[in-house]
């Protein structure tokens, strides 16, 4: 009979534990935890739990959340588990308590406050004698005002002492912004006791790093390191992208050493820790630790491609194979490839007509996969103001880090300057059009020699060319010297996602060194006109060529 490993919560990256446990010949048992947030947030959390449950392979036991801890304890005890691990932030407390009460390897229950409460984390650092962020739990506006005077800085942060992501997080400049944030969070706390304590801190301004570690019997191993790029807009600090650190630069080793000190200060003995650190002119300081695998919904395949290992599997080594853990701990840090996660920013509210972003990101050379959870729920997408209101995420990886960075920068340029090419809004019909030039004239003017393919939405013929409609795209020959895009009907562009998919399929029909020709009668129907077409050409990896004098407004690209 297989031995059991209990996973408390399988949201986000923690789902990888399920396959890792099966791969080692054990039987996973999933336990769902209670969410300590507001009623509205709990509904969203329960929906996420249901989606994760549906992904489970057949035959995996799942213990539902229960307010009575003793009921959960006895249900878990019945499986006689080897270990209990936390798959997400919401499972840390329950997993730690179960592990302790069952006498299994894990972190002691006595340090749970330092593991989960942001104020206690910082106090642990102060007691240990390393750098910490000054902060205080506040229960009234008067207490906030008094601590503001004590801090003697205009840069403050209001956050919930417990919580994840950016929920309840306020970056404040000056007294007025601080008091507005305090008033809002205290009111929320009074209306719902599950919000918990409100923490006020001095704000550290610098670059934010992620240090992900795994520990075995108090020995720590770096498994991955990244940094965030965030933007100040829409009244918040918005995620732009996360980028892997593949080679330690000057000062980076100090961040890792400090991270190890943080783990010792808190008392971490076993398992993964996702640590967030701010680095300013004074060096690194802890923002918070999350005693579970890193989030952002990263698949094991993605992490393996970048780091040559993935965190949940390495965490199982810490519990099940300390010899292998030590062998891996002593190896140099050598990521295999550059990785970046781009979070899509919606600068403004959007009433969605279609999502061409779904097709566009797949054309990028560093594309690995993408997640757009908000699409399909509601056509109205509110502007991005926190992690929960991002438009989606795309996961990029490539052998050449320049390719990854160029793709990420390209997507950021689109969301800021050409958002309609990503999230197309419902708009009144326009009368923008350009006269269609007969195909024989176009081909003669552009010297189309050799094999030529025309994709048209008009019944037409062309001498010395093959003309297809959308039905013929998939089966068309894929090695043409010239391809000409002849889509001139406004109704063709009614669904930008669909037409983008067709255009990308068509662009794949040109041979290396061949030409792509796009007349104005086609690109005039796209958002941003010629620029919109050039975006599609660029996304597909084609080179936009210098216009030919005397050839009208024809766009030319080459493969």
């Amino acid at each position: 009979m297989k031995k059991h490993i209990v996973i408390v919560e399988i949201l986000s990256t923690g789902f990888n534990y399920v396959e890792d446990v099966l791969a080692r010949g054990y039987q996973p048992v999933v336990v769902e935890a209670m969410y300590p947030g507001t009623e509205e947030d709990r509904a969203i959390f329960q929906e996420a739990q249901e989606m994760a449950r549906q992904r489970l392979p057949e035959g995996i036991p799942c213990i539902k959340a229960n307010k009575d801890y003793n009921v959960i304890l006895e249900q878990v005890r019945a499986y006689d588990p080897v270990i209990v691990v936390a798959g997400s932030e919401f499972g840390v407390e329950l997993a730690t308590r179960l592990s302790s009460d069952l006498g299994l390897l894990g972190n002691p229950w006595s340090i749970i406050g330092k593991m989960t409460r942001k104020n206690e984390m910082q106090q642990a650092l102060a007691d240990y004698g390393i750098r910490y962020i000054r902060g205080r739990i506040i229960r009234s506006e008067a207490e906030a005002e008094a601590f503001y005077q004590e801090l003697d800085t205009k840069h403050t942060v209001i956050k919930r002492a417990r919580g994840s992501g950016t929920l309840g997080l306020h970056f404040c400049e000056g007294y007025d912004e601080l008091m507005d944030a305090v008033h809002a969070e205290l009111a929320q706390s009074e209306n719902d006791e599950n919000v918990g304590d409100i923490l006020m801190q001095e704000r550290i301004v610098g670059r934010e790093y992620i240090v992900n570690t795994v520990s075995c019997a108090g020995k720590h191993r770096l498994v991955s390191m990244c940094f965030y790029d965030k933007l100040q807009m829409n009244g918040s600090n918005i995620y732009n992208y996360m980028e892997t650190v593949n080679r330690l630069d000057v000062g980076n080793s100090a961040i890792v050493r400090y991270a190890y000190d943080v783990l010792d200060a808190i008392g971490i003995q076993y398992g993964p820790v996702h640590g967030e650190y701010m680095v300013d002119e004074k060096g690194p300081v802890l923002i918070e630790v999350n005693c579970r695998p890193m989030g952002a919904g990263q698949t094991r395949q993605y992490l393996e491609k970048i780091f040559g290992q993935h965190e949940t599997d390495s965490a199982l080594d810490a519990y099940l194979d300390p010899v292998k853990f030590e062998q891996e701990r002593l190896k140099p840090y050598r990521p295999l490839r550059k990785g970046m996660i781009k979070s899509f920013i919606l600068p403004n509210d959007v009433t969605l007509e279609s999502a061409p972003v779904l097709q566009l990101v797949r054309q990028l050379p560093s594309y690995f996969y993408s997640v757009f959870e908000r699409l399909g729920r509601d056509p109205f997408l509110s502007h991005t103001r926190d992690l929960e209101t991002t438009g989606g995420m795309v996961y990029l990886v490539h052998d050449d880090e320049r390719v990854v960075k160029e793709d990420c920068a390209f997507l950021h340029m689109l969301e800021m300057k050409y958002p309609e090419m990503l999230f197309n809004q419902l708009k009144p019909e326009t009368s923008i059009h350009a006269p269609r030039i007969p195909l024989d004239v176009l081909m003669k003017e552009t010297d189309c020699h050799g094999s030529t393919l025309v994709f048209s939405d008009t019944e037409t013929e062309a001498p010395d060319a093959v003309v297809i409609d959308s039905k013929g795209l998939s089966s068309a020959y894929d090695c043409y010297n010239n391809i000409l895009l002849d889509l001139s009907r406004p109704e063709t562009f009614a669904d930008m996602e669909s037409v983008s998919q067709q255009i990308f399929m068509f662009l794949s029909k040109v041979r290396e060194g061949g030409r792509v020709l796009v007349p104005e009668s086609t690109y005039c129907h796209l958002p941003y006109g010629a620029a919109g077409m050039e975006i599609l050409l660029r996304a597909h990896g084609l080179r936009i060529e210098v216009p030919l004098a005397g050839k009208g407004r024809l766009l030319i690209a080459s493969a």
Side-chain angles (χ1 to χ4, degrees):
M1 184 177 178
K2 289 186 177 182
K3 296 180 179 179
H4 294 88
I5 290 177
V6 170
I7 310 160
V8 183
E9 279 307 336
I10 52 171
L11 303 180
S12 189
T13 308
F15 192 90
N16 295 335
Y17 268 131
V18 175
E19 295 175 318
D20 295 336
V21 168
L22 290 170
R24 290 175 182 249
Y26 292 80
Q27 174 66 43
V29 177
V30 172
V31 176
E32 294 181 344
M34 302 294 294
Y35 181 71
T38 65
E39 183 175 347
E40 180 182 356
D41 296 330
R42 282 196 295 275
I44 297 174
F45 178 71
Q46 289 166 359
E47 180 183 350
Q49 282 181 323
E50 174 62 26
M51 292 174 62
R53 198 183 310 129
Q54 292 176 0
R55 292 176 58 199
L56 283 171
E58 188 175 351
I60 304 297
C62 184
I63 298 173
K64 296 291 186 67
N66 195 311
K67 292 181 180 180
D68 189 336
Y69 168 73
N70 290 317
V71 171
I72 296 289
L73 175 61
E74 294 310 311
Q75 287 179 303
V76 170
R77 193 194 303 275
Y79 287 100
D80 190 24
V82 178
I83 55 173
V84 178
V85 296
S88 84
E89 180 69 18
F90 311 107
V92 172
E93 185 168 330
L94 180 56
T96 304
R97 188 175 180 184
L98 287 169
S99 183
S100 179
D101 287 348
L102 294 171
L104 304 176
L105 288 179
N107 295 305
W109 175 248
S110 59
I111 68 167
I112 193 62
K114 301 175 186 178
M115 293 170 62
T116 58
R117 292 180 60 84
K118 299 177 179 69
N119 58 314
E120 294 190 37
M121 294 173 196
Q122 297 296 334
Q123 185 60 51
L125 307 190
D127 294 342
Y128 196 75
I130 59 177
R131 189 182 179 193
Y132 67 98
I133 297 177
R134 293 178 295 163
R136 184 173 298 170
I137 297 295
I138 56 170
R139 295 181 172 84
S140 69
E141 294 182 19
E143 288 184 4
E145 183 174 0
F147 191 48
Y148 179 76
Q149 300 299 327
E150 183 179 328
L151 285 176
D152 192 26
T153 177
K154 294 181 179 180
H155 313 297
T156 55
V157 180
I158 294 296
K159 60 175 70 172
R160 296 174 187 178
R162 292 202 60 186
S164 63
T166 54
L167 191 64
L169 179 64
H170 304 264
F171 294 105
C172 309
E173 292 294 325
Y175 176 80
D176 291 341
E177 286 190 14
L178 169 68
M179 298 312 293
D180 286 345
V182 169
H183 180 78
E185 288 304 313
L186 288 177
Q188 184 77 6
S189 180
E190 290 175 4
N191 293 330
D192 192 327
E193 62 181 10
N194 290 303
V195 170
D197 291 333
I198 306 303
L199 176 62
M200 176 179 168
Q201 291 179 322
E202 62 175 327
R203 182 182 177 191
I204 308 298
V205 179
R207 166 163 277 188
E208 186 175 346
Y209 281 84
I210 299 302
V211 179
N212 295 311
T213 58
V214 169
S215 301
C216 174
K219 291 184 177 180
H220 314 304
R221 172 194 171 196
L222 174 70
V223 291
S224 61
M225 187 173 180
C226 314
F227 64 85
Y228 284 129
D229 183 79
K230 296 182 180 181
L231 304 175
Q232 285 286 337
M233 63 181 295
N234 291 339
S236 186
N237 206 27
I238 297 174
Y239 287 85
N240 181 15
Y241 62 80
M242 184 187 74
E243 178 179 340
T244 59
V245 174
N246 289 50
R247 295 174 299 278
L248 297 192
D249 205 342
V250 175
N252 286 168
S253 64
I255 306 171
V256 180
R257 285 193 299 272
Y258 175 79
Y260 293 157
D261 288 340
V262 167
L263 299 179
D264 290 336
I266 292 172
I268 298 298
Q269 292 294 306
Y270 283 94
V273 170
H274 167 65
E276 299 177 353
Y277 300 86
M278 192 67 74
V279 180
D280 61 8
E281 67 280 357
K282 296 179 182 178
V285 66
L286 176 72
I287 301 174
E288 62 182 86
V289 293
N290 301 280
C291 301
R292 42 75 174 171
M294 182 177 178
Q298 299 174 83
T299 65
R300 61 182 174 82
Q301 294 90 344
Y302 179 68
L303 292 169
E304 286 281 345
K305 198 168 183 68
I306 296 171
F307 297 107
Q309 54 82 35
H310 61 283
E311 192 178 358
T312 48
D313 183 59
S314 297
L316 291 178
D317 284 341
Y319 294 101
L320 305 174
D321 196 341
V323 173
K324 184 173 184 295
F325 172 88
E326 185 64 12
Q327 291 173 342
E328 297 297 326
R329 188 178 75 87
L330 296 176
K331 289 181 180 180
Y333 177 70
R334 293 288 187 274
L336 305 176
R337 297 172 181 86
K338 170 65 75 172
M340 296 181 76
I341 302 176
K342 177 72 183 82
S343 298
F344 284 99
I345 299 168
L346 301 173
N348 303 293
D349 295 343
V350 175
T351 301
L352 199 65
E353 172 71 5
S354 64
V357 64
L358 296 174
Q359 302 301 326
L360 187 146
V361 294
R362 295 174 180 273
Q363 308 302 312
L364 302 176
S366 65
Y367 175 82
F368 196 76
Y369 70 106
S370 55
V371 176
F372 294 91
E373 292 181 345
R374 295 180 71 191
L375 301 186
R377 292 180 180 175
D378 187 335
F380 177 77
L381 303 177
S382 61
H383 64 272
T384 301
R385 58 190 178 277
D386 51 30
L387 192 59
E388 286 70 33
T389 51
T390 57
M393 292 183 178
V394 60
Y395 299 75
L396 308 172
V397 61
H398 201 275
D399 292 325
D400 187 342
E401 67 176 62
R402 292 174 300 178
V403 173
V404 183
K405 291 181 177 181
E406 287 174 2
D407 286 349
C408 187
F410 175 62
L411 292 174
H412 181 53
M413 182 269 293
L414 295 187
E415 67 190 358
M416 293 293 103
K417 294 182 63 177
Y418 304 101
E420 289 285 319
M421 294 303 297
L422 301 175
F423 302 96
N424 192 228
Q425 292 202 75
L426 181 63
K427 286 188 174 68
E429 291 187 13
T430 63
S431 58
I432 297 175
H433 69 278
R436 178 176 176 270
I437 302 174
L439 291 180
D440 57 341
V441 175
L442 263 178
M443 292 177 61
K444 183 177 180 181
E445 287 185 349
T446 53
D447 298 320
C448 285
H449 298 289
S451 56
T452 301
L453 177 68
V454 178
F455 174 29
S456 181
D457 58 3
T458 303
E459 288 189 15
T460 187
E461 294 183 355
D464 304 319
V466 174
V467 181
I468 60 170
D469 58 15
S470 58
K471 296 178 182 178
L473 272 175
S474 59
S475 59
Y477 180 70
D478 58 2
C479 201
Y480 282 91
N481 293 103
N482 309 282
I483 62 172
L484 197 158
L485 192 58
D486 178 41
L487 304 178
S488 58
R489 297 180 181 274
E491 56 267 29
T492 301
F493 296 83
D495 184 342
M496 268 297 299
E497 181 184 340
S498 177
V499 76
S500 295
Q501 182 181 30
Q502 294 177 5
I503 289 173
F504 286 133
M505 189 181 298
F506 177 65
L507 295 178
S508 68
K509 306 302 179 180
V510 66
R511 70 175 359 138
E512 187 173 350
R515 294 188 307 166
V516 179
L517 308 171
V518 186
E520 185 181 13
S521 55
T522 290
Y523 65 69
C524 71
H525 299 289
L526 288 170
Y528 314 107
M533 190 67 230
E534 289 173 340
I535 286 168
L536 300 182
L537 296 170
R538 157 64 178 84
H540 195 70
L542 299 172
R543 182 172 185 142
I544 300 166
E545 298 293 355
V546 173
L548 295 176
K551 299 300 181 183
R553 297 182 178 274
L554 187 73
L555 288 182
I556 303 174
S558 58

